[in-house]
Amino acid sequence: MTSPASTPATSTPGEYAHPVIPDTSRPDVVLVGGGVMSATLAALLGIVAPHWSITLFEAGDKVAAESSDGWNNAGTGHSALCELNYTPAGADGTVDATKANQINEQFQLSRQFWSHLVRTGLTGSPKNFITPVPHISFVHGTEGQEYMRARHAALTASPLFAELELTTSQDELAGWVPLMMEGRDPAQPVAATRSTAGTDVDFGSLTRLLLDQATSRGVAVHTGTSVQDLERTTDGRWKVTARHHASGEEFTVNAGFVFVGAGGGALPLLQRADIPEIRGFGGFPVSGLFLRSTNDALAARHQAKVYGQAAVGAPPMSVPHLDLRLIDGQQSLLFGPYAGFSPKFLKSGSWLDLPRSVRLGNIGSMLGVARTQTALTRYLVGQVLQRPSDRLEALEEFVPTAEGDDWEMIHAGQRVQVIKQDAKGRGVLQFGTELIVGGGGTIAGLLGASPGASTAVAAMLDLLRRAFPDQHADWEPLLREAIPSYGRTLADDPALFAEVREETTRTLELTGPVELAGAR
């Protein structure tokens, strides 16, 4: 099948034209949602199936405006270098690094793929979307010191974390994060680890770059166009009904494969597709709130991302962190998260999103979670009832000299946590992502949140393997050319890890001080 005529991007990044689509259109692939997941899948398909025609529908006026937007995610480049929730300690104090190694392996896939795209012509400097920023874990108290020593020992057993530094010295930490040490009780026991291999990623900028490149090779991107329904046809394809908001025009296309990468909007669309694989799944929306400072003097004294420990009984998504963010050429600081509650599944969603998602197939799962997640309920109620002084007090745990006038509250993206059934049919809340593949491999969707965007490449590689098993063997050499460690474990091959890290560091320009292309 020939590719459709390209949809040229306008002069404003992320905005695209809206040509009329005839009902006879039969793209090989339809992508629903203009975020980093769809953009990544489009880029991978450009390598393994460049002849396939692809059409993308984004409900918003711009792509990357929801969870992929720079201000709607932490931008950490999650690689488990600093996130303490990926290294839980057992009752005996032993730290389990399994999840941390898995997350780091996945982020290495992302680095390799982005490096390949830069080498082969991704527009602009890589500093437009990724830049080096040290990743630091910070705890206080004698128990915190014991945990950090055990965590450091567990992580550095792997070559992926071999260069992780450990300190229990306030004086040394004052060199790493001076903003956090000023005004701190000198008698307070502290401990921290630091990796200078950390990054800050602007996933909004990356998404726009990927989709601009996609349109140049014929991918049709339609913003301001929402998918209303998905229906399986008798020939095994999918009738995709969409509506263009500005004109009110409703139309259909007939797709061979559909990927629903619409963030919080994925669950309702997969439910409309009526695939059995979605039965039992529900969603629990949580609003993310952060304190932001655009004070250049503060940012100059905190050139790092620092993660602490969640409060006892709090969910993993509540892990506090103080991040240097680099967005649109400006350095800012972000502290949080604070949680809020809204029944919307997207920032631009409907107040009826949550009640409309309740079906006979998932009401048992959702009621089961309601019964078992009392700690989460208490946490959310407490967060919603917080006063500004309470939020400033939480910030002072990281920045003892913090002043409220330097910080403003911002609303980040909605996170819809996955509710699913376990092996015994009970409803459980899952803090992660879940790839759903149905229709005999003709439809797939991604549910859930963190680590999300950072592992988009790993998630979409998994999709290619599961949805296209017949083609996958032929695709593997092409994928391995772009991603040398694909199908291998870097932790088991230190030489390969050293090779790919050196190459990606050089290509992505991840050396030198923190900076952005065009920074002021």
Side-chain angles (χ1 to χ4, degrees):
M1 181 178 295
T2 58
S3 296
S6 68
T7 308
T10 69
S11 58
T12 302
E15 293 183 352
Y16 299 86
H18 309 287
V20 174
I21 301 178
D23 283 351
T24 55
S25 179
R26 292 173 60 86
D28 296 305
V29 175
V30 161
L31 306 175
V32 184
V36 69
M37 293 296 174
S38 292
T40 299
L41 181 55
L44 286 167
L45 289 173
I47 292 174
V48 300
H51 58 288
W52 283 9
S53 58
I54 302 175
T55 297
L56 183 149
F57 297 120
E58 162 58 41
D61 293 332
K62 295 182 180 181
V63 299
E66 285 280 350
S67 293
S68 298
D69 179 76
W71 290 119
N72 287 345
N73 62 64
T76 304
H78 284 277
S79 44
L81 296 171
C82 59
E83 304 93 330
L84 298 177
N85 53 309
Y86 296 147
T87 48
D92 62 353
T94 302
V95 170
D96 183 359
T98 303
K99 184 69 171 179
N101 277 282
Q102 177 189 357
I103 295 296
N104 194 290
E105 290 274 1
Q106 292 176 337
F107 187 66
Q108 299 302 327
L109 295 176
S110 292
R111 281 180 55 133
Q112 291 171 70
F113 187 55
W114 299 338
S115 179
H116 167 79
L117 294 174
V118 169
R119 290 197 311 271
T120 56
L122 187 69
T123 304
S125 165
K127 289 190 181 299
N128 287 326
F129 69 89
I130 187 170
T131 195
V133 174
H135 284 195
I136 295 174
S137 304
F138 173 80
V139 297
H140 52 76
T142 54
E143 289 186 4
Q145 287 182 328
E146 292 175 4
Y147 163 73
M148 196 64 81
R149 291 189 183 99
R151 175 179 178 271
H152 180 260
L155 287 175
T156 53
S158 165
L160 301 177
F161 299 93
E163 297 179 2
L164 196 66
E165 305 170 76
L166 171 68
T167 186
T168 57
S169 165
Q170 280 207 24
D171 289 339
E172 188 168 13
L173 267 172
W176 291 3
V177 282
L179 184 65
M180 291 180 58
M181 292 298 108
E182 183 179 331
R184 189 171 295 276
D185 180 358
Q188 182 184 57
V190 297
T193 59
R194 179 177 72 166
S195 171
T196 56
T199 57
D200 179 80
V201 184
D202 182 345
F203 286 104
S205 179
L206 174 62
T207 299
R208 290 186 289 272
L209 288 171
L210 291 174
L211 291 179
D212 284 347
Q213 185 183 56
T215 61
S216 71
R217 66 172 190 271
V219 174
V221 177
H222 303 277
T223 53
T225 306
S226 58
V227 172
Q228 307 292 302
D229 197 19
L230 297 169
E231 181 182 353
R232 191 83 183 273
T233 60
T234 56
D235 61 356
R237 296 174 67 88
W238 287 92
K239 177 183 175 183
V240 182
T241 302
R243 182 172 62 85
H244 182 220
H245 299 166
S247 66
E249 176 197 9
E250 190 168 287
F251 56 88
T252 63
V253 299
N254 188 283
F257 174 80
V258 175
F259 171 64
V260 184
L267 175 63
L269 280 175
L270 290 172
Q271 289 175 328
R272 289 173 201 162
D274 199 28
I275 55 175
E277 291 82 2
I278 199 63
R279 288 183 63 84
F281 279 90
F284 186 83
V286 178
S287 301
L289 307 173
F290 284 86
L291 287 174
R292 176 175 66 185
S293 174
T294 55
N295 185 317
D296 291 337
L298 293 183
R301 293 161 58 210
H302 190 79
Q303 298 286 289
K305 293 177 180 289
V306 181
Y307 273 58
Q309 287 181 303
V312 175
M317 63 184 175
S318 67
V319 174
H321 47 97
L322 179 63
D323 290 357
L324 177 70
R325 293 306 322 273
L326 302 130
I327 300 174
D328 298 330
Q330 181 178 2
Q331 295 189 3
S332 304
L333 296 183
L334 209 65
F335 177 78
Y338 305 95
F341 177 75
S342 166
K344 293 182 179 182
F345 280 3
L346 296 166
K347 285 183 74 173
S348 60
S350 165
W351 294 99
L352 297 177
D353 284 344
L354 179 58
R356 284 173 177 168
S357 73
V358 179
R359 306 290 178 91
L360 286 176
N362 67 12
I363 191 169
S365 302
M366 299 183 76
L367 289 175
V369 166
R371 287 194 301 269
T372 60
Q373 291 294 324
T374 54
L376 175 60
T377 301
R378 287 195 300 268
Y379 166 74
L380 289 175
V381 170
Q383 290 281 292
V384 170
L385 295 178
Q386 277 190 331
R387 298 166 299 178
S389 59
D390 297 324
R391 290 168 178 150
L392 183 62
E393 184 178 342
L395 172 61
E396 289 171 346
E397 289 285 318
F398 276 67
V399 185
T401 58
E403 296 183 7
D405 290 344
D406 289 324
W407 301 83
E408 62 176 333
M409 182 65 69
I410 66 170
H411 290 256
Q414 287 287 102
R415 299 291 183 265
V416 180
Q417 308 297 336
V418 175
I419 294 174
K420 60 184 295 188
Q421 291 179 347
D422 63 14
K424 297 182 179 180
R426 298 171 300 191
V428 294
L429 191 64
Q430 175 176 301
F431 295 99
T433 53
E434 184 85 20
L435 179 65
I436 308 295
V437 178
T442 62
I443 188 170
L446 196 72
L447 306 177
S450 183
S454 297
T455 57
V457 174
M460 295 302 96
L461 287 171
D462 189 31
L463 182 151
L464 293 181
R465 179 184 60 82
R466 292 173 56 186
F468 303 100
D470 294 339
Q471 297 97 323
H472 195 260
D474 294 332
W475 291 351
E476 282 187 353
L478 297 170
L479 293 171
R480 196 164 290 115
E481 183 177 346
I483 306 169
S485 74
Y486 179 60
R488 303 162 71 177
T489 303
L490 288 172
D492 296 335
D493 194 337
L496 178 60
F497 173 58
E499 179 184 335
V500 299
R501 188 175 67 168
E502 179 182 357
E503 192 282 326
T504 58
T505 298
R506 181 180 62 255
T507 304
L508 297 176
E509 303 176 21
L510 298 177
T511 56
V514 177
E515 62 176 324
L516 272 184
R520 297 180 301 176

